[in-house]
Every structure is written in C-alpha cells, then in structure tokens.
Amino acid sequence: MTTATFELTENRVILSNISWQTFEQLLAELGENRCARLAYNDGVLEIMTPLGPHENNNRFIESLIGAIADELNLNLKRLGSLTLKQEKRKKGGEPDSCYYIQNEPKVRHKQEIDLANDPPPDLVLEIDMTSGSMDKLPIYAAIGVPELWRYDGRKLDVFVLYPESTSYQSVERSPTFPWLPLAAIPRFIRQSLADGETATLRAFRSWVREQQPDYR
C-alpha cells in the first residue's frame, strides 16, 4: 500500500513492504546531494521532501541551538541530515538536523561518521508538521540517540532515551540544557517572522543569558 500526502510544509510518501536492501540501494542511488530525506522502520519507508515552512523552522531552530552553544562556550558539531542506520534492527533515518555536544570531542576531527565505531549524535531535531507522518521515535531509539526534539509548527516536544531503556520518555526540560525553558522556543520562532531572524537571535541570546547568568 502506498500513501502520499502533500502539504504546504512538506511532501511525504510512505511505502510498505520495502526490504532493507532496497532502502540501502535508494540511499546509494540518490546520493548525498539531494533534498529528500529517507526514514525506514522494519519494512516501511518514508520519503520526505521539505518545503519552505519546514526548512525555515529547521534552520532557525538550528540557529537557536548554535546561539545557546555559543553563549555557553560549548563546542558543537553540526552534521545536518546525517544518515543513521541500525541494520540489525532494520531501522534508519535522516534527521532534519543532528548535533554532537557531549560527545563532540570524540568526533571533532571527523567529517565522516561510522556508527559502528562512533557514538550517535547527542541531539536530533525533527520538524514534523504533517499529520500521518511516520513516527521516528522507534528509529532513533534503536540507534541510541539520547535526546530528540520534535517541532510540529506549534510546540516543541523533548524526548529522552534513558540508559537501559528501549523507548523515549517525554520530558519538560532538556537534559542537555536543563535550566532552559524550551517551551519558549516557539515564541522566538513566531517573533522571527515579525521582527526578522537577526533581531530575534539577538533577543534570544539576551534571554539565554538571563535564564542562567552564572552558567559559564
């Protein structure tokens, strides 16, 4: 069965009964220079092409994460839509954005990541603004991503994979930035549409400093 959805935020096609070998072949044939992102969960394949609202939210949240890291003097390694795969569990995904923060020193010198030897990203960001899209949480849980942020165009949800757990738990605060009230992030996204991104980023940096002035 094939289900296609076409929204103003992203185009998604979901295909069933797809083998892992076909998923791997698609990744190889499509290559890295593409806008489509693939997700695979035990025979179900999703092909997503982001449109303007999706990408704008993704890039702006990435700017906010970068601003947080800069204000806290944290080294941050961005790897965008890095392909993350767990063949044994038949799961794979390409997040909208992903980041190494705690494990940044372990991959600082690398531009190619091999999950057989390298840790998964510390934080994954998913923009999911379409109803009926594939649930990515089981994919990233199988890969071992410890923290996932999901923005649906209205609110930002935070999920944590605790040690020895196989599924995510919804939490109110990010364990990476526990002092930061992430519920305010959508407000800054809306503000960027009114005041512009540069002005909003300046306001956001000031807000970050106010939240935890002694964090440095």
Side-chain angles (χ1 to χ4, degrees):
M1 180 183 71
T2 302
T3 303
T5 60
F6 297 95
E7 302 287 345
L8 294 177
T9 55
E10 58 232 355
N11 292 337
R12 296 182 187 266
V13 176
I14 298 179
L15 307 170
S16 300
N17 301 316
I18 304 298
S19 69
W20 179 261
Q21 291 73 22
T22 299
F23 171 58
E24 292 269 32
Q25 185 177 355
L26 278 171
L27 288 172
E29 291 181 354
L30 289 172
E32 296 183 358
N33 297 321
R34 55 184 164 87
C35 60
R37 293 167 196 152
L38 276 58
Y40 183 89
N41 187 1
D42 196 20
V44 179
L45 173 70
E46 179 184 84
I47 304 171
M48 188 276 291
T49 304
L51 300 179
H54 182 113
E55 279 297 84
N56 181 236
N57 285 310
N58 177 34
R59 299 302 178 187
F60 188 67
I61 294 175
E62 180 169 79
S63 295
L64 298 180
I65 292 172
I68 296 169
D70 190 40
E71 289 298 324
L72 301 182
N73 198 28
L74 293 174
N75 273 320
L76 179 73
K77 192 173 186 72
R78 301 172 176 88
L79 280 166
S81 298
L82 176 70
T83 302
L84 305 170
K85 299 182 295 182
Q86 173 55 271
E87 182 175 2
K88 184 178 179 181
R89 302 283 295 277
K90 297 294 186 290
K91 289 177 170 53
E94 296 179 314
D96 288 297
S97 299
C98 67
Y99 311 88
Y100 284 92
I101 306 170
Q102 295 91 338
N103 282 315
E104 184 273 340
K106 297 181 180 179
V107 298
R108 181 178 299 172
H109 63 290
K110 297 186 176 184
Q111 292 186 317
E112 296 288 341
I113 299 296
D114 178 4
L115 292 183
N117 302 304
D118 300 318
D122 297 300
L123 174 63
V124 154
L125 170 65
E126 281 285 340
I127 308 298
D128 189 352
M129 303 171 70
T130 304
S131 60
S133 60
M134 178 188 289
D135 181 9
K136 309 295 193 315
L137 269 65
I139 296 174
Y140 297 118
I143 292 164
V145 174
E147 184 173 350
L148 184 147
W149 294 6
R150 185 174 65 191
Y151 181 64
D152 67 359
R154 296 175 293 106
K155 59 184 175 63
L156 181 71
D157 293 314
V158 180
F159 300 92
V160 173
L161 185 68
Y162 291 108
E164 309 303 324
S165 178
T166 58
S167 61
Y168 284 104
Q169 300 294 319
S170 177
V171 296
E172 294 297 324
R173 299 264 176 162
S174 163
T176 304
F177 313 113
W179 49 271
L180 191 67
L182 293 178
I185 295 292
R187 172 170 62 84
F188 284 101
I189 295 173
R190 293 190 296 270
Q191 182 177 337
S192 73
L193 299 176
D195 299 342
E197 294 187 7
T198 300
T200 302
L201 281 171
R202 284 198 297 268
F204 179 75
R205 284 176 175 274
S206 297
W207 178 77
V208 169
R209 290 192 291 269
E210 291 168 359
Q211 301 310 303
Q212 188 74 0
D214 299 324
Y215 192 83
R216 288 176 185 265

